[in-house]
């Protein structure tokens, strides 16, 4: 099995940012993304999606290192100061590199 290195960037943030993030990641070079509705808690309390304004999303993007860096820096600079946002990356391997 031949595995090709890529980055997984994960953004967990407020659902209100979804349309902006979709536009941003595609503009910054991602070929696609996966979105999920999520719940959780942490230092600032719980977000349980009990009402529309309390929803969180998890966006996952598989891409090369340069695109992952551009996305992470853009989200940090544009949204982290005003929205609950967590960003992390991981090294992964893919079987079909042409997709990413």
């Amino acid at each position: 099995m031949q595995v090709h290195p890529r980055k997984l960037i994960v953004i967990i943030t407020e659902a209100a940012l979804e349309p902006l993030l979709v536009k941003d990641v595609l503009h910054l070079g991602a070929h696609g993304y996966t979105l999920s509705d999520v719940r959780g808690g942490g230092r600032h309390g719980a977000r349980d999606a009990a009402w529309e304004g309390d929803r969180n999303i998890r966006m996952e993007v598989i891409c090369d290192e340069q695109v992952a860096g551009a996305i992470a820096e853009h989200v940090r600079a544009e949204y982290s100061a005003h929205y609950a946002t967590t960003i992390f990356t991981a090294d992964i391997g893919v079987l079909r590199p042409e997709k990413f």
Side-chain angles (χ1 to χ4, degrees), residues 6 9 22 24-34 60-64 67-68 71 96-100:
R6 293 294 183 270
I9 181 164
V22 167
D24 291 345
V25 300
L26 295 174
H27 175 75
L28 291 167
H31 295 175
Y33 57 89
T34 299
E60 298 178 354
V61 179
I62 299 172
C63 53
D64 64 35
V67 172
I71 292 169
R96 296 181 358 185
E98 66 279 0
K99 288 188 64 173
F100 311 101

Side-chain angles (χ1 to χ4, degrees), residues 1 5 10 14 16 23 30-31 33 39 48 51 56 65-68 70 74 76-77 85 88 92 94-95 98 100:
M1 170 175 70
V10 178
E14 298 174 35
K23 186 181 90 162
H31 295 175
Y33 57 89
R39 295 179 308 279
D48 60 6
W51 57 286
N56 276 355
E65 188 168 355
Q66 182 178 353
V67 172
H74 176 78
R76 187 202 59 77
T85 304
F88 62 90
I92 62 167
V94 300
L95 300 177
E98 66 279 0
F100 311 101

Side-chain angles (χ1 to χ4, degrees), residues 12 38-42 44-49 54 56:
I12 302 170
V38 296
R39 295 179 308 279
H44 297 291
R47 294 184 63 88
D48 60 6
D54 194 34
N56 276 355

